[in-house]
Each structure stands twice: as C-alpha cells, then as structure tokens.
Amino acid sequence: MRILVTDGMDKGAIEKVRAMGHELVEQFYEPDELGKALRDFDVAIIRSKTKLRAKQIDEAKGSRFKCVIRAGVGLDNIDVQYAKDNGIEVKNTPKSPSESVAELAMAHMFSCARYISIAGHSMREGKWEKKAYGKGIELTGKTLGIVGFGRIGQKLGKMAKAIGMNVVAFELGIPYVEMDELLAKSDFISVHAPAVDGGALINAERIAKMKDGVVIINTSRGTNVDEAALLDALNSGKVRAAGLDVYADEPATNVALYSHPMVSCTPHIGSATVEAQGRIGEELVEIISKM
C-alpha cells in the first residue's frame, strides 16, 4: 500500500511499516491540498493537526484512498460518518495515550493546587514571591469529579485514589453519580469526554452549580469547556484555577485565558510522551498488518 503520514509518527513504527513492503510518505498538506493528495494514497495516518472534512472526502472519494487512521483517541477532526458513507474506513488507536493524558491531567491538578506554573514564571522574572504563593492546597482528602470515565478517566481515577483523593465519576465507575451531584461534591473536576454537539459540557450554568474555589482541568477537547464562562469564573474567584491542554481554537487564540495567572496551560501535549508515541506506533503497525 501507499501510506501518507501527515503529522509525524514514531520512527520505529515507520521502519516496521516499510519493512512490510509498504511505501510510506511523510508530508503535511494544507486543507485545500489534502483531498486531492489523498487520491494517490491507500491509507492516511493523521493526528489532531490534520482535519478530514466532507470537502476533502469529496475530493478523495472514488480513488484508491480507502482508510484514514487517527493516531490517537479522538475522532472529532474527522467527519466519521460521512467518510464511512463514502466507502472510507475510519480507525484509531484508543488504548495507547491513556497513561500520558491521565498523568498530564494529574500534573495540572498539582500545578493548580500549588501555583507551580505562575510561581515558576515569576521566578524567571527575577521575583521571589514566597508569601503570594504560600496558600496552596493539598490534593489528599479532596474529591475529584471525572466527567467521562473511559480509559483515560479510569487511569486518572486510579492515580487520584492512590494519593488519597475521593473519586466520583459521571458515566460509569467509582461510584457513578449524576452530573449535578458531581458538580456539587467535587473540589477538582477533570473532563475526559469526546467533543459533544449542542454546546460545552462545562458552561456558565454548570459552573454556577460547582463549589466555590473549584479547580477545572480539561485535557479532552477545547470545546468541552466554555472559555468565556471559565474566564469569568476565574476572574470572580468562583473557580480557583484551571489546567488546560486543549482550546476552542488551536493554536490557542484566547490570550486572556491562557495568560491568566491562575491557569496552568500546555499546548495540546497530552499524548506527547516518548512512551505514548511508541505505543501508538505499535498500534498503528498492528492495524496496518491486518489490512
């Protein structure tokens, strides 16, 4: 097969795919060029940067192109049903990034609790603001509400329980609660759900139902949290802090949000660990070997 890799891939996996006899091309295409380019490939392997929408599918259908593989979990950058309706298979690697995303969510929880992001930034400006950042909180004994209890949510739940947190989840699990109960009980809320239609999971109405001083973590999809509502809540003090790895627009454009002193932010690096990329590569090789 002729395989296009648009957003990078583990080097070991690339070697294994080529050893199978497949031709593999590493090349990013802008949206206006992608659809036509796909006509020359059997398979495309993409990450979050590449978007496969109806326009690109229309341009590629009827050619040799037959499958897109998302190297990661979320499929919201692909018009999945439209692709399937036009004879294009859609696959992903759901198992591989779980540990890395869960660990990043936990890291943001610690950062928000102990001012790690802003305190470190202030030191790089030559400041020593020990008193200003001397009112941190402990995670032990606090309640973590997990919205979306799939593989990543379950990993985070295990980590949180290991350090003495109480864990409640909306969806499945340990124990299951309704959303309003989760909002009312939780000191920390971490979102691990796919993007949903019809608005953000965390909006102004739901923030109002949360405890005062809650910490919100989002490593799922940027549109799952209403950024304007979150910024208002940060400014009012309703939300103590937020840890964000994902944004409504990427690269992030909401400067007021990501530069807020009580926001711990990273540029969508949830699965960007050596180990996770190696596991994703292995899963990709397995998928291709069965085609």
Side-chain angles (χ1 to χ4, degrees):
M1 294 184 296
R2 195 160 190 261
I3 301 171
L4 174 67
V5 177
T6 63
D7 303 326
M9 182 174 165
D10 177 73
K11 297 301 181 185
I14 289 174
E15 292 174 3
K16 289 179 181 178
V17 171
R18 285 178 171 154
M20 294 178 191
H22 302 303
E23 180 184 355
L24 193 148
V25 177
E26 296 180 82
Q27 174 70 52
F28 175 77
Y29 288 94
E30 296 294 340
D32 289 343
E33 302 171 333
L34 178 62
K36 292 178 182 177
L38 289 173
R39 298 183 66 84
D40 294 327
F41 294 90
D42 300 284
V43 177
I45 298 172
I46 70 173
R47 293 172 65 182
S48 58
K49 185 178 180 181
T50 297
K51 310 293 189 290
L52 189 62
R53 302 301 186 197
K55 179 180 183 295
Q56 289 80 29
I57 293 167
D58 283 340
E59 291 173 343
K61 67 184 181 183
S63 67
R64 65 191 291 180
F65 182 59
K66 61 186 179 184
C67 180
V68 57
I69 308 172
R70 166 71 163 92
V73 179
L75 293 170
D76 49 293
N77 56 325
I78 302 170
D79 286 346
V80 176
Q81 193 56 54
Y82 194 76
K84 291 179 178 179
D85 290 345
N86 284 278
I88 298 169
E89 284 188 277
V90 180
K91 299 179 181 291
N92 66 344
T93 61
K95 302 174 185 177
S96 305
S98 301
E99 288 86 353
S100 59
V101 179
E103 286 186 9
L104 182 64
M106 180 64 76
H108 277 300
M109 289 165 60
F110 279 114
S111 181
C112 290
R114 300 301 301 272
Y115 303 100
I116 293 171
S117 180
I118 185 61
H121 182 76
S122 71
M123 286 188 69
R124 287 189 287 274
E125 293 180 337
K127 301 174 184 177
W128 185 260
E129 298 182 300
K130 182 175 180 178
K131 186 175 181 180
Y133 303 124
K135 296 181 180 179
I137 59 175
E138 297 177 357
L139 271 62
T140 302
K142 302 298 191 297
T143 296
L144 168 64
I146 301 176
V147 180
F149 206 62
R151 290 184 177 90
I152 296 169
Q154 290 173 33
K155 292 284 185 184
L156 178 62
K158 289 178 181 178
M159 293 177 193
K161 287 179 74 68
I163 63 167
M165 298 188 81
N166 305 307
V167 179
V168 294
F170 175 72
E171 188 173 292
L172 302 168
I174 54 169
Y176 169 84
V177 296
E178 296 297 336
M179 178 66 95
D180 282 358
E181 185 179 350
L182 182 148
L183 298 174
K185 281 185 172 181
S186 300
D187 303 293
F188 290 74
I189 294 174
S190 193
V191 183
H192 298 281
V196 296
D197 295 328
L201 281 169
I202 304 299
N203 53 25
E205 180 182 356
R206 283 180 167 162
I207 289 173
K209 296 178 180 179
M210 297 176 187
K211 286 184 176 182
D212 291 344
V214 67
V215 174
I216 296 174
I217 308 295
N218 187 18
T219 57
S220 60
R221 288 295 178 264
T223 53
N224 280 339
V225 174
D226 183 323
E227 292 185 348
L230 176 59
L231 186 58
D232 286 344
L234 285 163
N235 287 333
S236 72
K238 173 68 177 181
V239 172
R240 170 191 171 88
L244 304 175
D245 186 50
V246 290
Y247 309 87
D249 297 313
E250 295 187 3
T253 57
N254 194 335
V255 180
L257 181 62
Y258 68 70
S259 63
H260 194 283
M262 293 307 292
V263 171
S264 173
C265 55
T266 46
H268 202 154
I269 58 170
S271 62
T273 63
V274 172
E275 294 87 351
Q277 291 306 307
R279 290 191 299 269
I280 289 171
E282 290 171 4
E283 207 166 345
L284 290 170
V285 170
E286 183 180 357
I287 291 169
I288 292 168
S289 70
K290 294 177 180 178
M291 295 178 69

